[in-house]
Amino acid sequence: MGRKLLVIGGAALLLLAAGHAYAAPLIPTVSLDVGTSENPQDVATSMQLLAVLTIVSMAPAILVMTTSFVRIVVVIGFLRNALSTQNVPPNQVVIALSLFLSFYIMAPYWGQANENGIQPYLAGQISQEQALENIVDPMREFMFRQTRESDLALFVNLSEAPRPEGPEDVSTFTLIPAFIISELKTAFQIGFMIYIPFIVIDMIVASTLMSMGMMMLPPVMISLPFKILLFVMVDGWHLLIQSLIMSFR
């Protein structure tokens, strides 16, 4: 019995060693070296790679703050609070819906950026600086259409820059914060309109419960089904999404 165990154990060790020896060459190794370069072109390429990595890391913030995402996600958040449904729909659903609606709304502008900036640059027809300008121009057009003049004037005055003669003289770094606060104000206005019918239901339910002497019963528990019923009967999601999309046109 002891000899059999020794033989089995030795065979198992041999198999493990053989498998390790066979699999070892398949494991890749990665090494990063930092050295000196005598060619300025190598330094320029490294700086371009660093700039691309920086832009990629900031891509979520750029997507959120320069598109229709802000208004959509804030309005849906107001709707969820007005319905008193806590975490329904879940945050993942709210974020995903806001993203796909943003893709739908921004598709024409991104199409212009791709047609006028990315594709000509990849074909070697324009320079990198011209491509970047052609990509940013449709986004600036969208933000200018949604930004209030008073909000834009606020950041222009705070920057102490010369008074711009036209939209082309406004810096993108001045336009983005003005666009964001304009979007927040619009989202709060839409949220206020959403709250009104649900507040009326809450008031009716609370008054009814008080008149019946049921002051210990939470009004939210009774009004929630009526809010959901009202929202479903008027096809609330259809009306809300239609209103949001039309507000950008």
Side-chain angles (χ1 to χ4, degrees):
M1 192 62 167
R3 290 180 180 179
K4 291 182 178 180
L5 291 176
L6 288 175
V7 172
I8 294 173
L13 289 175
L14 289 175
L15 289 174
L16 288 175
H20 178 72
Y22 178 77
L26 299 178
I27 301 176
T29 59
V30 179
S31 61
L32 295 175
D33 297 330
V34 178
T36 58
S37 175
E38 298 180 356
N39 187 3
Q41 186 65 29
D42 295 338
V43 179
T45 303
S46 301
M47 296 302 295
Q48 290 177 355
L49 179 60
L50 180 61
V52 170
L53 293 176
T54 303
I55 294 175
V56 169
S57 63
M58 296 177 60
I62 297 174
L63 175 64
V64 167
M65 295 303 175
T66 60
T67 64
S68 58
F69 181 85
V70 175
R71 183 187 305 183
I72 295 172
V73 74
V74 172
V75 169
I76 296 178
F78 273 122
L79 172 65
R80 190 170 64 177
N81 292 333
L83 285 170
S84 303
T85 52
Q86 300 299 326
N87 292 324
V88 179
N91 291 331
Q92 293 86 348
V93 175
V94 172
I95 298 298
L97 177 60
S98 303
L99 281 175
F100 281 104
L101 287 176
S102 299
F103 293 156
Y104 176 80
I105 293 171
M106 300 302 299
Y109 301 95
W110 289 344
Q112 293 179 19
N114 179 62
E115 182 179 352
N116 300 330
I118 298 177
Q119 295 303 325
Y121 175 70
L122 295 177
Q125 300 174 357
I126 58 177
S127 63
Q128 184 176 359
E129 292 76 10
Q130 185 63 40
L132 182 61
E133 182 179 350
N134 292 347
I135 292 172
V136 173
D137 282 344
M139 303 302 300
R140 285 172 56 90
E141 178 186 355
F142 170 78
M143 288 189 287
F144 270 117
R145 292 181 61 180
Q146 308 302 326
T147 304
R148 290 179 173 81
E149 185 176 350
S150 58
D151 296 330
L152 186 59
L154 169 65
F155 286 96
V156 170
N157 295 332
L158 290 177
S159 65
E160 298 181 356
R163 184 178 180 86
E165 298 295 333
E168 64 278 359
D169 298 331
V170 179
S171 170
T172 303
F173 296 103
T174 302
L175 175 60
I176 291 177
F179 166 75
I180 294 173
I181 64 173
S182 295
E183 287 294 281
L184 289 174
K185 182 175 181 180
T186 304
F188 274 64
Q189 290 175 341
I190 298 175
F192 172 76
M193 300 302 296
I194 291 174
Y195 259 95
I196 292 177
F198 300 117
I199 288 178
V200 172
I201 294 177
D202 285 332
M203 294 176 61
I204 295 174
V205 170
S207 301
T208 304
L209 292 178
M210 289 184 62
S211 63
M212 297 175 64
M214 299 181 180
M215 291 179 291
M216 299 300 294
L217 185 63
V220 176
M221 184 182 300
I222 306 300
S223 63
L224 178 58
F226 292 100
K227 291 180 181 180
I228 296 176
L229 178 62
L230 173 64
F231 191 71
V232 172
M233 288 181 61
V234 300
D235 200 0
W237 285 112
H238 177 88
L239 293 176
L240 178 65
I241 300 305
Q242 181 184 16
S243 300
L244 281 173
I245 294 175
M246 295 302 297
S247 67
F248 289 100
R249 298 179 178 178

